[in-house]
mmCIF file of all heavy atoms in Angstrom:
data_model
loop_
_atom_site.group_PDB
_atom_site.id
_atom_site.type_symbol
_atom_site.label_atom_id
_atom_site.label_comp_id
_atom_site.label_asym_id
_atom_site.label_seq_id
_atom_site.Cartn_x
_atom_site.Cartn_y
_atom_site.Cartn_z
ATOM 1 N N ILE A 473 114.143 103.316 166.360
ATOM 2 C CA ILE A 473 114.697 104.671 166.440
ATOM 3 C C ILE A 473 113.524 105.641 166.349
ATOM 4 O O ILE A 473 112.688 105.519 165.448
ATOM 5 C CB ILE A 473 115.687 104.920 165.281
ATOM 6 C CG1 ILE A 473 116.777 103.846 165.274
ATOM 7 C CG2 ILE A 473 116.297 106.310 165.378
ATOM 8 C CD1 ILE A 473 117.648 103.850 164.028
ATOM 9 N N GLN A 474 113.457 106.585 167.282
ATOM 10 C CA GLN A 474 112.359 107.566 167.285
ATOM 11 C C GLN A 474 112.939 108.960 167.457
ATOM 12 O O GLN A 474 113.902 109.145 168.198
ATOM 13 C CB GLN A 474 111.404 107.294 168.458
ATOM 14 C CG GLN A 474 110.631 105.994 168.331
ATOM 15 C CD GLN A 474 109.978 105.624 169.645
ATOM 16 O OE1 GLN A 474 110.640 105.181 170.572
ATOM 17 N NE2 GLN A 474 108.674 105.812 169.733
ATOM 18 N N MET A 475 112.308 109.891 166.801
ATOM 19 C CA MET A 475 112.781 111.276 166.931
ATOM 20 C C MET A 475 111.613 112.234 166.870
ATOM 21 O O MET A 475 110.734 112.111 166.021
ATOM 22 C CB MET A 475 113.741 111.588 165.780
ATOM 23 C CG MET A 475 114.034 113.053 165.640
ATOM 24 S SD MET A 475 115.646 113.450 166.202
ATOM 25 C CE MET A 475 116.562 113.039 164.758
ATOM 26 N N VAL A 476 111.600 113.190 167.777
ATOM 27 C CA VAL A 476 110.632 114.268 167.678
ATOM 28 C C VAL A 476 111.411 115.580 167.677
ATOM 29 O O VAL A 476 112.393 115.729 168.413
ATOM 30 C CB VAL A 476 109.575 114.198 168.807
ATOM 31 C CG1 VAL A 476 110.184 114.292 170.177
ATOM 32 C CG2 VAL A 476 108.497 115.256 168.635
ATOM 33 N N GLY A 477 110.981 116.525 166.825
ATOM 34 C CA GLY A 477 111.774 117.732 166.614
ATOM 35 C C GLY A 477 112.888 117.420 165.636
ATOM 36 O O GLY A 477 112.904 116.358 165.016
ATOM 37 N N ARG A 478 113.798 118.363 165.521
ATOM 38 C CA ARG A 478 114.913 118.139 164.589
ATOM 39 C C ARG A 478 116.230 118.282 165.326
ATOM 40 O O ARG A 478 116.496 119.320 165.922
ATOM 41 C CB ARG A 478 114.865 119.166 163.456
ATOM 42 C CG ARG A 478 113.735 118.898 162.506
ATOM 43 C CD ARG A 478 113.857 119.727 161.233
ATOM 44 N NE ARG A 478 112.626 119.653 160.474
ATOM 45 C CZ ARG A 478 112.289 118.613 159.719
ATOM 46 N NH1 ARG A 478 113.085 117.575 159.604
ATOM 47 N NH2 ARG A 478 111.145 118.615 159.061
ATOM 48 N N ILE A 479 117.041 117.227 165.256
ATOM 49 C CA ILE A 479 118.378 117.284 165.847
ATOM 50 C C ILE A 479 119.269 118.114 164.924
ATOM 51 O O ILE A 479 119.265 117.894 163.713
ATOM 52 C CB ILE A 479 118.977 115.857 165.967
ATOM 53 C CG1 ILE A 479 118.230 115.046 167.040
ATOM 54 C CG2 ILE A 479 120.475 115.903 166.199
ATOM 55 C CD1 ILE A 479 118.855 115.042 168.405
ATOM 56 N N ARG A 480 119.984 119.058 165.499
ATOM 57 C CA ARG A 480 120.963 119.799 164.684
ATOM 58 C C ARG A 480 122.321 119.146 164.855
ATOM 59 O O ARG A 480 122.820 118.984 165.976
ATOM 60 C CB ARG A 480 120.990 121.255 165.134
ATOM 61 C CG ARG A 480 119.849 122.045 164.496
ATOM 62 C CD ARG A 480 119.897 123.484 164.851
ATOM 63 N NE ARG A 480 121.226 124.073 164.689
ATOM 64 C CZ ARG A 480 121.502 125.345 164.957
ATOM 65 N NH1 ARG A 480 120.545 126.141 165.393
ATOM 66 N NH2 ARG A 480 122.708 125.816 164.802
ATOM 67 N N ALA A 481 122.908 118.768 163.701
ATOM 68 C CA ALA A 481 124.163 118.012 163.736
ATOM 69 C C ALA A 481 125.292 118.824 164.356
ATOM 70 O O ALA A 481 126.268 118.268 164.852
ATOM 71 C CB ALA A 481 124.531 117.566 162.326
ATOM 72 N N ASP A 482 125.169 120.172 164.361
ATOM 73 C CA ASP A 482 126.264 121.016 164.854
ATOM 74 C C ASP A 482 126.121 121.327 166.353
ATOM 75 O O ASP A 482 126.971 122.004 166.920
ATOM 76 C CB ASP A 482 126.304 122.326 164.059
ATOM 77 C CG ASP A 482 124.973 123.070 164.098
ATOM 78 O OD1 ASP A 482 123.928 122.394 164.187
ATOM 79 O OD2 ASP A 482 124.980 124.308 164.065
ATOM 80 N N LEU A 483 125.067 120.850 166.996
ATOM 81 C CA LEU A 483 124.892 121.128 168.430
ATOM 82 C C LEU A 483 125.035 119.834 169.234
ATOM 83 O O LEU A 483 124.690 118.754 168.743
ATOM 84 C CB LEU A 483 123.502 121.736 168.689
ATOM 85 C CG LEU A 483 123.237 123.122 168.088
ATOM 86 C CD1 LEU A 483 121.820 123.570 168.405
ATOM 87 C CD2 LEU A 483 124.243 124.147 168.618
ATOM 88 N N PRO A 484 125.516 119.935 170.477
ATOM 89 C CA PRO A 484 125.683 118.715 171.281
ATOM 90 C C PRO A 484 124.341 118.146 171.735
ATOM 91 O O PRO A 484 123.329 118.844 171.757
ATOM 92 C CB PRO A 484 126.487 119.204 172.492
ATOM 93 C CG PRO A 484 126.255 120.664 172.562
ATOM 94 C CD PRO A 484 125.937 121.147 171.182
ATOM 95 N N VAL A 485 124.356 116.863 172.100
ATOM 96 C CA VAL A 485 123.166 116.243 172.695
ATOM 97 C C VAL A 485 123.539 115.744 174.080
ATOM 98 O O VAL A 485 124.711 115.467 174.361
ATOM 99 C CB VAL A 485 122.626 115.055 171.857
ATOM 100 C CG1 VAL A 485 122.104 115.507 170.521
ATOM 101 C CG2 VAL A 485 123.672 113.960 171.695
ATOM 102 N N ASP A 486 122.547 115.628 174.954
ATOM 103 C CA ASP A 486 122.757 115.030 176.281
ATOM 104 C C ASP A 486 122.072 113.670 176.297
ATOM 105 O O ASP A 486 120.892 113.567 175.911
ATOM 106 C CB ASP A 486 122.105 115.884 177.379
ATOM 107 C CG ASP A 486 122.774 117.241 177.492
ATOM 108 O OD1 ASP A 486 123.983 117.316 177.213
ATOM 109 O OD2 ASP A 486 122.063 118.210 177.837
ATOM 110 N N ILE A 487 122.794 112.681 176.784
ATOM 111 C CA ILE A 487 122.170 111.362 176.969
ATOM 112 C C ILE A 487 121.458 111.410 178.315
ATOM 113 O O ILE A 487 122.099 111.585 179.360
ATOM 114 C CB ILE A 487 123.228 110.239 176.952
ATOM 115 C CG1 ILE A 487 124.099 110.333 175.690
ATOM 116 C CG2 ILE A 487 122.571 108.865 177.066
ATOM 117 C CD1 ILE A 487 123.373 110.226 174.388
ATOM 118 N N VAL A 488 120.137 111.263 178.309
ATOM 119 C CA VAL A 488 119.368 111.425 179.543
ATOM 120 C C VAL A 488 118.814 110.107 180.075
ATOM 121 O O VAL A 488 118.329 110.043 181.205
ATOM 122 C CB VAL A 488 118.221 112.444 179.356
ATOM 123 C CG1 VAL A 488 118.767 113.854 179.188
ATOM 124 C CG2 VAL A 488 117.338 112.073 178.165
ATOM 125 N N GLU A 489 118.861 109.057 179.269
ATOM 126 C CA GLU A 489 118.447 107.718 179.716
ATOM 127 C C GLU A 489 119.362 106.720 179.020
ATOM 128 O O GLU A 489 119.725 106.921 177.863
ATOM 129 C CB GLU A 489 117.002 107.380 179.280
ATOM 130 C CG GLU A 489 115.939 108.348 179.699
ATOM 131 C CD GLU A 489 115.399 108.072 181.098
ATOM 132 O OE1 GLU A 489 115.838 107.097 181.749
ATOM 133 O OE2 GLU A 489 114.557 108.869 181.545
ATOM 134 N N GLY A 490 119.699 105.621 179.692
ATOM 135 C CA GLY A 490 120.454 104.546 179.063
ATOM 136 C C GLY A 490 121.856 104.969 178.677
ATOM 137 O O GLY A 490 122.401 105.957 179.201
ATOM 138 N N ALA A 491 122.437 104.229 177.737
ATOM 139 C CA ALA A 491 123.811 104.509 177.308
ATOM 140 C C ALA A 491 123.975 104.121 175.843
ATOM 141 O O ALA A 491 123.402 103.113 175.397
ATOM 142 C CB ALA A 491 124.784 103.715 178.166
ATOM 143 N N ILE A 492 124.768 104.911 175.131
ATOM 144 C CA ILE A 492 124.968 104.632 173.704
ATOM 145 C C ILE A 492 125.591 103.254 173.511
ATOM 146 O O ILE A 492 125.189 102.495 172.630
ATOM 147 C CB ILE A 492 125.869 105.712 173.067
ATOM 148 C CG1 ILE A 492 125.163 107.066 173.139
ATOM 149 C CG2 ILE A 492 126.187 105.387 171.617
ATOM 150 C CD1 ILE A 492 126.038 108.233 172.760
ATOM 151 N N ASP A 493 126.568 102.918 174.362
ATOM 152 C CA ASP A 493 127.258 101.642 174.189
ATOM 153 C C ASP A 493 126.334 100.443 174.381
ATOM 154 O O ASP A 493 126.622 99.343 173.894
ATOM 155 C CB ASP A 493 128.452 101.541 175.152
ATOM 156 C CG ASP A 493 129.585 102.449 174.679
ATOM 157 O OD1 ASP A 493 129.535 102.882 173.510
ATOM 158 O OD2 ASP A 493 130.492 102.732 175.485
ATOM 159 N N ASP A 494 125.239 100.651 175.107
ATOM 160 C CA ASP A 494 124.261 99.559 175.267
ATOM 161 C C ASP A 494 123.237 99.550 174.136
ATOM 162 O O ASP A 494 122.336 98.712 174.114
ATOM 163 C CB ASP A 494 123.486 99.699 176.596
ATOM 164 C CG ASP A 494 124.409 99.598 177.798
ATOM 165 O OD1 ASP A 494 125.511 99.026 177.632
ATOM 166 O OD2 ASP A 494 124.045 100.105 178.873
ATOM 167 N N ALA A 495 123.369 100.528 173.221
ATOM 168 C CA ALA A 495 122.385 100.683 172.136
ATOM 169 C C ALA A 495 120.970 100.781 172.693
ATOM 170 O O ALA A 495 120.006 100.248 172.112
ATOM 171 C CB ALA A 495 122.500 99.550 171.112
ATOM 172 N N ARG A 496 120.833 101.444 173.822
ATOM 173 C CA ARG A 496 119.516 101.759 174.413
ATOM 174 C C ARG A 496 119.686 103.114 175.085
ATOM 175 O O ARG A 496 120.402 103.205 176.100
ATOM 176 C CB ARG A 496 119.116 100.727 175.479
ATOM 177 C CG ARG A 496 118.653 99.408 174.950
ATOM 178 C CD ARG A 496 118.148 98.510 176.081
ATOM 179 N NE ARG A 496 116.773 98.817 176.463
ATOM 180 C CZ ARG A 496 116.404 99.252 177.653
ATOM 181 N NH1 ARG A 496 117.291 99.449 178.604
ATOM 182 N NH2 ARG A 496 115.135 99.506 177.911
ATOM 183 N N PHE A 497 119.136 104.138 174.509
ATOM 184 C CA PHE A 497 119.326 105.454 175.126
ATOM 185 C C PHE A 497 118.262 106.439 174.635
ATOM 186 O O PHE A 497 117.591 106.214 173.632
ATOM 187 C CB PHE A 497 120.726 106.005 174.832
ATOM 188 C CG PHE A 497 120.972 106.361 173.394
ATOM 189 C CD1 PHE A 497 120.704 107.639 172.913
ATOM 190 C CD2 PHE A 497 121.456 105.418 172.505
ATOM 191 C CE1 PHE A 497 120.913 107.961 171.581
ATOM 192 C CE2 PHE A 497 121.661 105.739 171.162
ATOM 193 C CZ PHE A 497 121.403 107.010 170.711
ATOM 194 N N VAL A 498 118.134 107.519 175.415
ATOM 195 C CA VAL A 498 117.359 108.684 174.971
ATOM 196 C C VAL A 498 118.312 109.872 175.026
ATOM 197 O O VAL A 498 119.019 110.062 176.032
ATOM 198 C CB VAL A 498 116.133 108.947 175.877
ATOM 199 C CG1 VAL A 498 115.420 110.240 175.458
ATOM 200 C CG2 VAL A 498 115.155 107.772 175.824
ATOM 201 N N ALA A 499 118.360 110.640 173.955
ATOM 202 C CA ALA A 499 119.209 111.838 173.904
ATOM 203 C C ALA A 499 118.317 113.043 173.657
ATOM 204 O O ALA A 499 117.317 112.942 172.940
ATOM 205 C CB ALA A 499 120.224 111.707 172.775
ATOM 206 N N VAL A 500 118.675 114.156 174.264
ATOM 207 C CA VAL A 500 117.913 115.376 173.997
ATOM 208 C C VAL A 500 118.866 116.478 173.557
ATOM 209 O O VAL A 500 120.051 116.458 173.902
ATOM 210 C CB VAL A 500 117.099 115.871 175.225
ATOM 211 C CG1 VAL A 500 116.136 114.807 175.713
ATOM 212 C CG2 VAL A 500 117.988 116.350 176.345
ATOM 213 N N GLN A 501 118.314 117.393 172.804
ATOM 214 C CA GLN A 501 119.076 118.586 172.442
ATOM 215 C C GLN A 501 118.313 119.777 173.017
ATOM 216 O O GLN A 501 117.076 119.787 172.993
ATOM 217 C CB GLN A 501 119.155 118.683 170.923
ATOM 218 C CG GLN A 501 120.240 119.597 170.428
ATOM 219 C CD GLN A 501 120.615 119.299 168.984
ATOM 220 O OE1 GLN A 501 119.768 119.401 168.108
ATOM 221 N NE2 GLN A 501 121.866 118.958 168.739
ATOM 222 N N ARG A 502 119.064 120.725 173.545
ATOM 223 C CA ARG A 502 118.410 121.870 174.183
ATOM 224 C C ARG A 502 118.902 123.167 173.556
ATOM 225 O O ARG A 502 120.025 123.236 173.068
ATOM 226 C CB ARG A 502 118.751 121.918 175.681
ATOM 227 C CG ARG A 502 118.232 120.745 176.479
ATOM 228 C CD ARG A 502 118.486 120.985 177.971
ATOM 229 N NE ARG A 502 117.866 119.960 178.818
ATOM 230 C CZ ARG A 502 118.450 118.845 179.182
ATOM 231 N NH1 ARG A 502 119.674 118.568 178.796
ATOM 232 N NH2 ARG A 502 117.809 117.966 179.958
ATOM 233 N N ARG A 503 118.033 124.165 173.605
ATOM 234 C CA ARG A 503 118.440 125.534 173.279
ATOM 235 C C ARG A 503 117.916 126.410 174.401
ATOM 236 O O ARG A 503 116.725 126.332 174.728
ATOM 237 C CB ARG A 503 117.834 125.963 171.934
ATOM 238 C CG ARG A 503 118.859 126.623 171.020
ATOM 239 C CD ARG A 503 118.298 126.811 169.620
ATOM 240 N NE ARG A 503 117.976 125.534 168.976
ATOM 241 C CZ ARG A 503 116.977 125.367 168.109
ATOM 242 N NH1 ARG A 503 116.204 126.371 167.781
ATOM 243 N NH2 ARG A 503 116.758 124.191 167.566
ATOM 244 N N ASP A 504 118.799 127.168 175.024
ATOM 245 C CA ASP A 504 118.404 127.991 176.181
ATOM 246 C C ASP A 504 117.654 127.155 177.209
ATOM 247 O O ASP A 504 116.567 127.531 177.686
ATOM 248 C CB ASP A 504 117.514 129.173 175.734
ATOM 249 C CG ASP A 504 118.232 130.050 174.731
ATOM 250 O OD1 ASP A 504 119.467 130.152 174.817
ATOM 251 O OD2 ASP A 504 117.551 130.606 173.847
ATOM 252 N N ASP A 505 118.171 125.982 177.493
ATOM 253 C CA ASP A 505 117.601 125.074 178.495
ATOM 254 C C ASP A 505 116.279 124.412 178.101
ATOM 255 O O ASP A 505 115.775 123.564 178.829
ATOM 256 C CB ASP A 505 117.407 125.779 179.854
ATOM 257 C CG ASP A 505 118.741 125.972 180.557
ATOM 258 O OD1 ASP A 505 119.690 125.250 180.196
ATOM 259 O OD2 ASP A 505 118.816 126.855 181.435
ATOM 260 N N ALA A 506 115.706 124.800 176.981
ATOM 261 C CA ALA A 506 114.442 124.174 176.575
ATOM 262 C C ALA A 506 114.747 123.021 175.616
ATOM 263 O O ALA A 506 115.570 123.166 174.713
ATOM 264 C CB ALA A 506 113.548 125.199 175.890
ATOM 265 N N VAL A 507 114.081 121.897 175.827
ATOM 266 C CA VAL A 507 114.318 120.731 174.969
ATOM 267 C C VAL A 507 113.704 120.981 173.590
ATOM 268 O O VAL A 507 112.514 121.273 173.467
ATOM 269 C CB VAL A 507 113.719 119.461 175.616
ATOM 270 C CG1 VAL A 507 113.746 118.287 174.644
ATOM 271 C CG2 VAL A 507 114.491 119.116 176.880
#
Side-chain angles (χ1 to χ4, degrees):
I473 305 169
Q474 293 166 285
M475 167 106 83
V476 60
R478 288 192 192 282
I479 290 264
R480 278 183 48 180
D482 56 329
L483 294 179
V485 294
D486 295 329
I487 307 300
V488 291
E489 305 274 359
I492 296 170
D493 287 345
D494 298 338
R496 284 186 82 243
F497 68 90
V498 175
V500 302
Q501 198 160 61
R502 296 187 173 90
R503 227 170 297 148
D504 301 329
D505 286 340
V507 171

